[in-house]
Every structure is written in structure tokens, then in C-alpha cells.
Amino acid sequence: MNRIKLMLITNSPEVAQFAQSCGVERIFLDLEIIGKYERQGHLDTVISNHTLEDVSKIRKVLNKSELLVRINPVHDNTEYEIERVLSAGADIVMLPMFTSVSEVNFVSELIDHRCQFIPLVETAKAANCIQDVANVKGVTEVYIGLNDLHRDLGMSFMFEPLATGLLSELVYKLKQSGKPFGFGGIACIGQGELPAELILSEHIRLNSSSVILARAFHKRAKNIEDLRDANFEFNISQLRTEEEKLRGESSCVIDIYHEQLISTINKVVGKNFEKNI
């Protein structure tokens, strides 16, 4: 069984190189800006200042980790943006905020199998067509972005889809396609409003292949000193140890973790969701 691929969002070459040395498999550059201020400008979320020029800078320091670049939603200059990103050496292109299969088809045709392609499911409309999206030729993986998705669905807590059964339903549809998938973000083991070990157990239960290291994991580090102050290398090791432990547990034990996860979410949102498998 392959380990879950860890992804770190940064445009700092030194941070990217250090994260790679710590075992982070994907460095995530975030070019998405169109529509973000309208959706998230009033929230305590990160709106990146990454640029096309950063792609080649990060490419130069990576020799093991993959370079993932999140482009803007489909717009007039999508083709130009994709060509720039690919010429600069991106291994993976991620498409955010799509609402239809036709948008995914359009971007897939522009990429034309020149790199991996991950549609980011973060709208209700995208969730409704997730199986068709996964079956688009050229799509290599699918990621479920809980941050925007839970808001678009009118939910109050980012991890609520894990308790309602929605995530399990989406994953079931993805498994029909055979495509790998990931979802959400994760903090350090022992931390988080929803403890990271419960989130990690859900990744194991659902057989997820990737997760983003949340800003709480690295405390918004901007340089290597910040990462060291945040005990980044130790926290990566601790996360891997917990992952290995969970993979050795029986399905019954993982099911108990799932029940604990739902119970914790119930307390956070003040609702009473039941176990979903």
C-alpha cells in the first residue's frame, strides 16, 4: 500500500526544498486568484500571491517531489496559463471551481496528456457530476476541496461532509472510475478542532491517496527557520508514524475511529449525524 502523498502549499524555493527533504511528495503552487476575494476575502483564509514566474523557480529545486500548480478557473486566458505552466515544468495541473464536465473536458484537451491533471471538486455542481468528471480522458486523479465545498453546500464546518455521508458517497462514485483521490487538509497529530488522527483515520478508511498539509501544520511558515520553529520535520515523522499505525489496525478499529469522528463533528456543529460507511 502506497503512503498518502503529502502536499505543501508554498512559492518559496527554500521552503519547497526543505519540505522535499522531509518527505513531502508534492509542492503545491497556487495561482488561483480569480473569484477568490469575492468568495473568501471576508474570511480567515489564505489568498496566495503566487505567480507564473514562481513555477520555474520551484521546478529548479525539486528532484524528488512533484510540482503541482493550481491554475485559475476557466477564463479567457486559460490556454495561455496552461502553456506557461507546462513550459515551466509543472508535473500536475489542478483546475479549481469548475461546475461542469465540459470545463474539465476543455482543460484536459488543452493539457493533452502532457502532465497529470487533477480537477478540484469544490462546488455542489461539481460534486453532482463527480463520476463523469473522473471518467474524462486525461484526468489522472480527483481532489475534493472541503473548504469551498462545505460553504457552497450551506454547511458551517469544513469537515461536516465527512459526517453527513456526502464524502463517502463521492468516494464511492470515484472508486467506480478507479482514479485515485484526496480530500481536505490536515493539522499536526494531536491538534485541530477535529483531531488530525481522526481525519487521518478517515483517509485510511476511504483509501485516500493525498492530503494537503494545512497552514496549522506549518504555522504559515515563510522560510526554513519558520518551519524549524514549527517542528515541521518532527511533525511529518509523527504523521507518518500515525499513518503506519492506522494501516495496521483492523477494519473494526478503523470503524471505531469513524464513529469518534462523527461524534466530534456532531459536537462542533450541534447536529446528530449517524455513522455512514
Side-chain angles (χ1 to χ4, degrees), residues 37-199:
Y37 282 104
E38 291 78 2
R39 298 195 319 270
Q40 300 180 13
H42 62 295
L43 302 168
D44 182 25
T45 56
V46 174
I47 298 176
S48 79
N49 59 352
H50 301 183
T51 67
L52 282 166
E53 287 69 31
D54 290 326
V55 182
S56 58
K57 293 176 184 177
I58 298 294
R59 175 75 277 161
K60 289 176 183 176
V61 303
L62 298 183
N63 54 26
K64 291 186 295 184
S65 301
E66 295 176 305
L67 174 54
L68 182 153
V69 181
R70 177 161 61 188
I71 60 174
N72 278 292
V74 172
H75 64 295
D76 291 344
N77 290 320
T78 293
E79 183 173 5
Y80 169 79
E81 194 169 63
I82 288 173
E83 292 304 320
R84 285 285 306 274
V85 163
L86 292 182
S87 65
D91 297 304
I92 309 165
V93 166
M94 176 179 276
L95 174 68
M97 296 305 296
F98 67 90
T99 58
S100 67
V101 178
S102 62
E103 291 172 89
V104 177
N105 266 311
F106 173 68
V107 171
S108 184
E109 288 173 3
L110 291 177
I111 293 172
D112 193 23
H113 303 283
R114 289 177 289 170
C115 73
Q116 299 174 62
F117 176 35
I118 302 179
L120 176 60
V121 175
E122 51 187 345
T123 66
K125 289 182 179 179
N128 286 338
C129 62
I130 194 169
Q131 190 164 0
D132 291 334
V133 164
N135 287 323
V136 168
K137 188 176 180 180
V139 167
T140 53
E141 190 174 333
V142 177
Y143 204 86
I144 300 170
L146 299 178
N147 195 18
D148 276 302
L149 180 59
H150 89 278
R151 292 193 185 94
D152 201 39
L153 293 170
M155 297 178 179
S156 60
F157 182 46
M158 182 167 68
F159 292 105
E160 201 169 327
L162 278 64
T164 64
L166 174 63
L167 184 67
S168 292
E169 179 185 335
L170 295 178
V171 166
Y172 175 78
K173 292 177 179 178
L174 286 173
K175 286 182 177 178
Q176 306 309 302
S177 72
K179 300 287 174 66
F181 65 91
F183 64 89
I186 195 165
C188 301
I189 297 301
Q191 297 181 22
E193 190 171 16
L194 181 62
E197 51 269 33
L198 292 183
I199 297 172

Side-chain angles (χ1 to χ4, degrees), residues 10 37 63 86 110 135 141 178 200 212 218 248 264 267 269 272:
T10 183
Y37 282 104
N63 54 26
L86 292 182
L110 291 177
N135 287 323
E141 190 174 333
L200 186 58
I212 295 170
H218 52 81
T264 304
K267 291 176 183 176
V269 301
N272 187 26

